[in-house]
Amino acid sequence: FKGTYEAWAALVHPDDLRRVQKAVNAATDGTGDCQIEFRIVQPNDVVKWILARAEVIRDEDGKSVQLVGVNIDITDRKHDEEELREAQKQLRSYAAELEKRVKERTAKLEDTIQDLEAFSYSVSHDLRAPLRAMQGYSQYLLQECSGTLSPDATVYLNRIFAASGRLDQLVQDILWYNRIARAEIKLTPIDLERLIHTIIQQYPEFHASKTAIEIQTPLLNVMGSESYLTQCISNILGNAVKFVTGGTTPHIRIWTELVNATVFLNFQDNGIGIAAEHRSRLFKM
């Protein structure tokens, strides 16, 4: 660079020259100074980015006679900016691809849920209908033909009635589980003592004549879904009563404790228990 405008302009990249000349002319023809970023081509054809800052020197009449300034090599900064733009571009591309995948998988999930709902209704209709027929006919025979049935036949009919009732309940439990998995659970304050006493009163097998249930009061209140918590507690108490050694009166102890702002509802019974190797499989769902 030999100190003249022409020599300086000769170094400017051809694609940037027009823009540079326009900026210089605007500074010399106006009242401001010049600042512009552009590329230069060195004699070895290496391209560099330059930040040029120049002050316009004027004569007494205000005519520009000289540019005095400095050229700063900003090549590294420009490279960093380009890498940042490329990274942002890739990030936007990744985000768009991710959003597309999420939409596709959400659509597939919605289809799966619809299939599950259709299956659930099919289970409810197709399985429960013959079960209700078994219950109805066995109950009809017990009521209308009790005088002509042998004791063994009566026992068998009672077993058919009870077994079909249990299977019907299992079908309903499957449907309930499917609804729970999809439903939004709304939490409300629950009085555990009231809830557990209500559950005990509803099931004859939980009454004092058949089962000893010890409730260590007071039970702490909780936040939860009362309908789902009712089903959970009913199942736990039902298992505790059902799975005991023959001739043993079920004994169940219920209590709560507060640990780190969390209420634990505990059940202890004298049932047969579950072997350790089967627990993970049994409680997986």
Side-chain angles (χ1 to χ4, degrees):
F1 171 50
K2 299 178 180 179
T4 65
Y5 172 77
E6 290 75 14
W8 177 77
L11 296 173
V12 178
H13 194 288
D15 293 343
D16 296 344
L17 182 58
R18 186 175 179 180
R19 180 168 55 84
V20 168
Q21 289 174 333
K22 185 177 180 180
V24 171
N25 291 337
T28 56
D29 294 343
T31 57
D33 296 326
C34 179
Q35 176 169 311
I36 187 172
E37 296 179 0
F38 58 93
R39 289 167 292 176
I40 64 169
V41 182
Q42 295 182 319
N44 58 0
D45 292 332
V46 174
V47 177
K48 295 282 188 178
W49 272 96
I50 294 296
L51 168 62
R53 290 174 178 167
E55 179 183 357
V56 181
I57 306 300
R58 304 179 187 277
D59 58 17
E60 295 178 354
D61 297 328
K63 182 181 178 181
S64 58
V65 294
Q66 192 178 12
L67 284 172
V68 178
V70 59
N71 295 317
I72 304 170
D73 186 343
I74 59 170
T75 305
D76 290 342
R77 194 198 80 189
K78 281 293 185 179
H79 287 168
D80 291 343
E81 290 175 353
E82 180 62 28
E83 290 179 356
L84 178 60
R85 282 194 294 270
E86 184 62 27
Q88 290 173 336
K89 180 181 177 181
Q90 291 182 359
L91 185 60
R92 287 192 294 269
S93 176
Y94 293 150
E97 178 65 21
L98 180 60
E99 184 177 0
K100 178 183 176 183
R101 291 183 182 180
V102 169
K103 287 181 179 179
E104 290 175 351
R105 292 180 181 179
T106 300
K108 290 181 180 178
L109 182 60
E110 289 175 349
D111 290 340
T112 301
I113 291 174
Q114 290 177 359
D115 291 341
L116 283 174
E117 288 177 346
F119 173 74
S120 297
Y121 289 123
S122 176
V123 167
S124 177
H125 180 271
D126 297 342
L127 284 185
R128 296 189 67 201
L131 287 173
R132 286 193 292 268
M134 292 170 61
Q135 288 178 295
Y137 284 125
S138 58
Q139 191 173 30
Y140 174 80
L141 287 173
L142 288 170
Q143 292 175 350
E144 300 298 326
C145 306
S146 58
T148 60
L149 293 173
S150 68
D152 287 342
T154 302
V155 171
Y156 296 151
L157 283 172
N158 278 317
R159 289 181 178 178
I160 291 173
F161 180 79
S164 59
R166 286 197 299 271
L167 184 53
D168 185 48
Q169 184 60 52
L170 287 173
V171 172
Q172 293 184 64
D173 288 344
I174 292 174
L175 297 176
W176 268 108
Y177 180 76
N178 186 43
R179 294 191 188 103
I180 292 172
R182 295 183 288 104
E184 178 183 356
I185 298 178
K186 296 182 179 180
L187 305 182
T188 58
I190 296 176
D191 183 339
L192 274 183
E193 283 191 37
R194 178 195 60 79
L195 178 63
I196 291 178
H197 280 296
T198 300
I199 293 172
I200 292 173
Q201 292 172 2
Q202 291 175 349
Y203 291 86
E205 61 268 32
F206 298 161
H207 293 177
S209 59
K210 298 181 179 180
T211 304
I213 299 180
E214 175 189 351
I215 302 175
Q216 294 186 357
T217 57
L219 296 181
L220 300 172
N221 294 338
V222 297
M223 294 290 294
S225 168
E226 183 163 338
S227 60
Y228 296 155
L229 194 55
T230 298
Q231 186 179 10
C232 179
I233 294 173
S234 300
N235 289 341
I236 291 175
L237 293 178
N239 288 338
V241 170
K242 187 186 306 180
F243 298 109
V244 293
T245 305
T248 302
T249 299
H251 183 273
I252 305 165
R253 186 167 69 94
I254 305 172
W255 76 99
T256 56
E257 55 185 340
L258 184 65
V259 180
N260 296 329
T262 299
V263 175
F264 284 82
L265 175 58
N266 303 284
F267 297 83
Q268 184 181 58
D269 63 63
N270 61 339
I272 59 176
I274 301 167
E277 62 269 22
H278 299 316
R279 290 174 188 167
S280 60
R281 183 180 63 178
L282 184 64
F283 291 109
K284 186 174 182 180
M285 180 179 294

